[in-house]
Amino acid sequence: MAAVGMERRTGEDDGVVRFWHDDEGWGVVDCPSTPGGCWTHFSVIEAEGFRSLPPGGSVRVRWESPGQDGYDYRAEWAKQR
């Protein structure tokens, strides 16, 4: 059952990687349309081989809200630019 007031929203935007945990496989991307950051898991990164995002790197993300782990937004897809 969905929480009251938690309507699903989606969007796509360019952002910058705030931080990335290679050992845990996730990090946060900051975009104008995702205030507070967008939680991003390695499994949504479009790339060959080991999937990771460098802190400070430019990235395109497709996001959804509600998010995950305390973040209001979660990436559904990400690609380094």
Side-chain angles (χ1 to χ4, degrees):
M1 175 182 243
V4 175
M6 298 298 286
E7 180 180 324
R8 183 174 185 271
R9 296 178 295 132
T10 62
E12 192 168 319
D13 205 350
D14 292 322
V16 175
V17 180
R18 182 191 312 170
F19 64 82
W20 189 264
H21 299 290
D22 275 333
D23 56 333
E24 297 178 15
W26 71 277
V28 173
V29 174
D30 290 312
C31 303
S33 61
T34 61
C38 181
W39 187 92
T40 306
H41 191 259
F42 81 92
S43 65
V44 303
I45 299 171
E46 183 179 316
E48 296 292 322
F50 184 76
R51 293 179 280 177
S52 178
L53 296 172
S58 296
V59 64
R60 181 81 179 168
V61 295
R62 185 175 313 122
W63 55 263
E64 66 179 353
S65 181
Q68 183 166 337
D69 294 343
Y71 294 92
D72 290 337
Y73 304 91
R74 173 178 56 203
E76 297 179 310
W77 169 85
K79 185 173 183 177
Q80 191 172 348
R81 297 180 65 82

